[in-house]
Amino acid sequence: MKILFSSLNTFGFINPLIGLAKHLRSLTHEVAFVCDPSFAAHLQRQGLNRIPQGDEESACFLVERFTSPALNENQINYLESALTVFPADVLVTSPLALGPLIVAERNALPVAVMGFMSYLWSTPTQEANTGEDMRLLYDWRTSEMMEHLNKSRLHLGLAKLELDKEHLPFVGDLWLQRCTPSMAKRQCDFPKQVTMVGACLWPNAANAEANPEFELWLNAQDAELPLIYVSHGRTFQQPKFWDELKQAFRDKPCLVVASVDRMECEVGALPDNFYVDNYLAQSAVLPRTSLVIANGNSTVTLGALEQGIPMLLIPSGAETVDNAALCQQLGVAERMQSDLVDSYSIWQIASELMSGEQYKHQSERYAKDLAQLNGFESAANAVLELAASRAQGGSNRQDLSVTS
């Protein structure tokens, strides 16, 4: 079977697809990628084939411009050109990538989407355990995504789609939800396209690249001190917490290791117990970690859960809001509002998380659940089942129609 992958230009989106592609390839299926040229070397290092865009490469899989009808048209042209040399049986794409959804429809191909840890959209049934604010947020997001998709459809002369919570078109034929049934605390009936597949994290602890400089620093530290892993990430319009965090742990009996490649502020002078790098593979750090402090994106929250590590989450919008709320509900994290962060509160909450046995117990419980679901194996089975079903004539997609 041939599986064609596509992704917007962020490692948080493409890395789970790389892990899934490598697993499918190990099962003797053929895989290829269509994505931003900046990922060409990244894919090549993994022995994965990126189909070139043509004589002139252009950046059309830009996450910051995912709503652009013109860029989505370029995605479509790129993908349909790739299909002439790699006639795929199924497409697999990232969230927010709208071009692949239209390509799947135009070419009668099934399409799967590798989702987030939390399900961000409205559901067919009312949720008794969900507050009014969150319901409004789900409905707003869903309406916005439908509007973005329809703008690209109309740009191409395709008919506008009506909102149907039973069959949201932007979740594809299959939405690979990166959690377990025990973690899905929204009391509702998810659309039938949703399948829970576990963490789907790549790279993982088994294949993480070593960082000799970090190892040298760590070996020179007191092995009895707890290690705190920090992934500040982007905060967009939200206040940044880096300076308060440095003050919180300065001269405290702990070690702080931070990955700062996406942090939108200066690193500045560091306390003696800090180690900072632009990129640190979390899979190499987390097995030694006592606490994670992050904004709550799916990569870091699932990484912490896989290792059974409590978290302090300071969400910065989009999925981080849902993930932070979910982790607190699961009893594996505490969350702080970014505009209320101060160094004293960070230290107090961090101390409670590291000493509270209940947080560790709950974190280890969900680590076992994630391990049992075996992410990439579950995801691969779901994708192959989708392709086989479509080959036998099964479909839940709306017919393509063109505006007059």
Side-chain angles (χ1 to χ4, degrees), residues 107-125:
N107 293 271
L109 285 169
V111 58
V113 182
M114 179 67 78
F116 305 103
M117 187 181 94
S118 299
Y119 189 72
L120 307 186
W121 321 113
S122 299
T123 57
T125 57

Side-chain angles (χ1 to χ4, degrees), residues 164-196:
D164 177 3
K165 294 180 182 179
E166 293 277 2
H167 299 289
L168 295 175
F170 51 82
V171 306
D173 298 303
L174 173 65
W175 179 272
L176 302 169
Q177 187 66 31
R178 296 167 64 193
C179 69
T180 69
S182 65
M183 292 165 56
K185 291 296 187 180
R186 290 176 65 178
Q187 293 177 2
C188 62
D189 294 324
F190 289 105
K192 63 181 180 180
Q193 300 104 305
V194 176
T195 297
M196 296 179 194

Side-chain angles (χ1 to χ4, degrees), residues 18 39 43 56 84 135 150 170 174 194 236 268 322 330 340-341 387 391:
I18 288 175
F39 283 141
L43 291 168
E56 293 187 10
T84 64
R135 280 197 293 270
N150 276 325
F170 51 82
L174 173 65
V194 176
F236 302 97
D322 304 69
L330 295 175
L340 299 178
V341 167

Side-chain angles (χ1 to χ4, degrees), residues 30-108:
E30 295 181 59
V31 299
F33 276 77
V34 163
C35 60
D36 193 80
S38 63
F39 283 141
H42 186 52
L43 291 168
Q44 186 177 30
R45 284 193 293 272
Q46 301 307 318
L48 294 170
N49 175 36
R50 175 185 176 268
I51 300 173
Q53 192 170 359
D55 294 335
E56 293 187 10
E57 298 266 19
S58 64
C60 57
F61 281 92
L62 302 178
V63 67
E64 63 270 23
R65 295 182 60 194
F66 81 94
T67 64
S68 167
L71 258 65
N72 288 329
E73 183 178 9
N74 289 343
Q75 289 177 18
I76 291 165
N77 293 336
Y78 182 7
L79 277 158
E80 291 187 336
S81 173
L83 287 170
T84 64
V85 297
F86 188 84
D89 299 293
V90 60
L91 304 181
V92 183
T93 191
S94 68
L96 310 184
L98 301 180
L101 302 173
I102 295 174
V103 168
E105 187 178 11
R106 295 205 322 186
N107 293 271

Side-chain angles (χ1 to χ4, degrees), residues 3-8 10-25 31-35 39 42-43 46 48 61 91-95 97 100 112-115 176 178 199-203 376 379 383:
I3 301 102
L4 183 60
F5 290 83
S6 59
S7 173
L8 297 182
T10 170
F11 285 104
F13 285 173
I14 199 168
N15 278 347
L17 298 182
I18 288 175
L20 177 55
K22 287 168 76 75
H23 185 84
L24 285 163
R25 189 177 60 181
V31 299
F33 276 77
V34 163
C35 60
F39 283 141
H42 186 52
L43 291 168
Q46 301 307 318
L48 294 170
F61 281 92
L91 304 181
V92 183
T93 191
S94 68
V113 182
M114 179 67 78
L176 302 169
R178 296 167 64 193
C200 289
L201 287 174
W202 186 93
F376 290 124
V383 169

Side-chain angles (χ1 to χ4, degrees), residues 354-404:
M354 287 189 288
S355 62
E357 285 299 318
Q358 72 274 21
Y359 296 106
K360 184 66 175 174
H361 173 77
Q362 285 297 95
S363 298
E364 290 174 345
R365 169 195 168 189
Y366 292 109
K368 292 177 182 177
D369 290 348
L370 285 168
Q372 289 175 355
L373 204 47
N374 198 4
F376 290 124
E377 182 178 339
S378 296
N381 289 341
V383 169
L384 294 173
E385 183 180 339
L386 169 66
S389 173
R390 180 59 58 87
Q392 295 167 8
S395 175
N396 63 0
R397 295 184 67 79
Q398 300 182 42
D399 291 335
L400 177 68
S401 53
V402 181
T403 55
S404 58

Side-chain angles (χ1 to χ4, degrees), residues 209-220 275 284-285 288:
E209 295 182 8
N211 184 319
E213 185 178 331
F214 166 66
E215 297 293 339
L216 189 64
W217 176 86
L218 188 61
N219 289 336
Y275 179 91
V285 180
R288 315 149 188 231

